[in-house]
Amino acid sequence: MRILYLLLTGLLLELQGCASYPHNPKLDHYNLDKGYRYDKLNDQKNSESLFVILTFSGGGTRAAALSYGVLEKLRNTPIVWEGKHSNLLSEVDVISSVSGGSFTAGYYAAFGEAIFKDKNNSGFLRDFLYRDIEGDLFSQFFYPSNWFRLASPWYSRIDMATDFYDEEIFKGVKYAELINRKTKPYLMVNATDMSLGSRFTFEQAQFDPMCADLGGVALARAVAASSDFPVAFPPMTLDNHAGSCSYNPQQPGWIAQAEKDLLINPSRYKNALLFKTYQDSQQRPFIHLLDGGIADNLGLRGPLQALVSNDTELNLPVKMSTGVIKKLLIITVDAKNQPDLNYDATAIPPSVLNVLKVVANVPMDNFSFETTETLRKSFTELEKDKNTYLACQSQLQLHCPDAVLSTPAPKIPQLDFVYIGFDLLSNPAERNQFFNMATSFSLSASQINDLRNVAKRLLDESVTFKKFVKTVQ
């Protein structure tokens, strides 16, 4: 009996010793020509002149289903662009996502059109949407192998969830496959750096200062980090290998200039300081990540930064000013909650659980509103620059016909922003129906279908979207 006890104890200790979070591999040598980068994609079916960006919000399966309905609608929207007949989905260049929306974005990036297969075959409907993911995750606790692994301090519930997502949903796909495929859309899965409270995007540019190779990271791990809701899951851990790959501390090139921009461009200055923290593996040997919605629940901050700055690899200002981009369309899919005012109906303070719920969701929604307003203002400012130039040119020709402005007119493309959210629904009962759907990872098939259909209807009812489609048909 003692021998059996010793054998079982030894096996337990051995399994505990082997149990660990998946270590992200080191980057052998820093190389701007390698890795998952937008400018390394070479998709002949997708033209940059029609530039489409999708952003998918957080909100569990509710967000995933709403985003899926948008993909379905874009696939069924025929266009003619540069003499070629296709659909609007084929022109999507970038998908930026957080939390629940990252499951849809990641699956489409991994499997393309296979995402639309019938639920009885392999596809997103069967693998995720029509599935009780919460129940499946809970059942993982009943596997003896997970008992031993979870007993290890280096293996946690988020790692168990990652393993489940990797096997059951993303089928072992790593970023290396996206790199080798070189097709669009470019995937920006966003998490939150727990220590900094800032956006952490799974792209090689984010991994460079850490001397980490994104190619060896499972796509499921990025999605798990993006949906790593606090309390429900512990933070996800990444290894920081900074200092081991000949990375230039002044890379990328904007860092040195940004460090001088405190008074001129405080936001850029702050971004540079945050970026440089990843270069210090002594102070930050590990990076801990949480749900991307904490820093940006719309997935819109990255595209917004790319729109107003050349510091990102998308280089949108250059592409717009040189006339490469003729039309720019941004569609934001927002599955946010409705504020719960029932807490104010009684003098009894809300429970700790309800307080945590409010703290987690309300600031996200307020920040999301500010982000969409910032984007609209950015579009307005770009249009204003163009109109100001044309007004000056008109006055100059009126009073000095022979005079010529020393700079050419700014090449501002057609800019369109489409917002898809439940608050656009005119019927109060229907609006409340969707707002009251749980943001869990388990919804009924009828709820999933309702979400898919309302996404298509909201696009059909969008004046901006309808006008845009007419220009490409």
Side-chain angles (χ1 to χ4, degrees), residues 201-334:
T201 305
F202 278 76
E203 55 186 352
Q204 189 54 51
Q206 180 84 66
F207 277 60
D208 282 338
M210 298 163 52
C211 287
D213 182 7
L214 180 60
V217 175
L219 181 56
R221 198 159 184 226
V223 174
S226 183
S227 57
D228 188 346
F229 197 77
V231 182
F233 294 102
M236 175 178 287
T237 301
L238 293 180
D239 299 316
N240 189 350
H241 306 295
S244 63
C245 66
S246 303
Y247 181 81
N248 184 341
Q250 295 303 319
Q251 290 290 342
W254 63 272
I255 292 291
Q257 182 59 46
E259 290 180 296
K260 305 173 185 177
D261 282 355
L262 174 58
L263 299 179
I264 301 173
N265 191 336
S267 178
R268 193 180 190 218
Y269 173 81
K270 180 183 178 182
N271 287 337
L273 293 187
L274 295 179
F275 191 86
K276 292 194 73 172
T277 66
Y278 296 104
Q279 300 175 16
D280 188 351
S281 59
Q282 297 299 313
Q283 185 178 19
R284 305 192 72 193
F286 305 100
I287 307 299
H288 299 290
L289 304 177
L290 288 171
D291 191 294
I294 298 172
D296 171 22
N297 200 37
L298 289 178
L300 188 55
R301 301 297 295 185
L304 177 58
Q305 183 185 5
L307 181 67
V308 299
S309 169
N310 284 318
D311 295 341
T312 73
E313 293 191 350
L314 296 183
N315 283 328
L316 293 187
V318 170
K319 290 181 172 69
M320 291 190 294
S321 64
T322 56
V324 172
I325 296 178
K326 302 292 191 303
K327 296 180 187 292
L328 174 63
L329 172 66
I330 298 178
I331 300 177
T332 289
V333 185
D334 186 4

Side-chain angles (χ1 to χ4, degrees), residues 402-466:
D402 296 330
V404 178
L405 289 175
S406 58
T407 57
K411 294 182 179 180
I412 306 299
Q414 176 186 326
L415 302 171
D416 290 293
F417 174 54
V418 176
Y419 172 84
I420 298 299
F422 304 133
D423 41 4
L424 295 176
L425 295 170
S426 58
N427 185 304
E430 184 183 32
R431 190 166 58 244
N432 289 332
Q433 171 198 345
F434 287 103
F435 273 133
N436 290 327
M437 281 186 186
T439 55
S440 64
F441 284 114
S442 178
L443 292 176
S444 68
S446 62
Q447 288 176 312
I448 296 297
N449 292 334
D450 287 344
L451 287 160
R452 292 166 61 189
N453 291 330
V454 81
K456 299 168 193 174
R457 177 154 59 87
L458 287 172
L459 277 173
D460 281 333
E461 294 173 354
S462 168
V463 174
T464 302
F465 183 73
K466 287 189 290 187

Side-chain angles (χ1 to χ4, degrees), residues 28 63 163 337 356 431:
D28 293 333
D163 289 341
N337 283 309
L356 287 174
R431 190 166 58 244

Side-chain angles (χ1 to χ4, degrees), residues 379-398:
F379 273 20
T380 300
E381 289 299 319
L382 288 170
E383 290 288 354
K384 187 183 296 183
D385 290 344
K386 180 180 179 179
N387 293 335
T388 300
Y389 182 96
L390 294 176
C392 290
Q393 186 181 55
S394 176
Q395 289 297 313
L396 186 64
Q397 290 177 347
L398 178 64

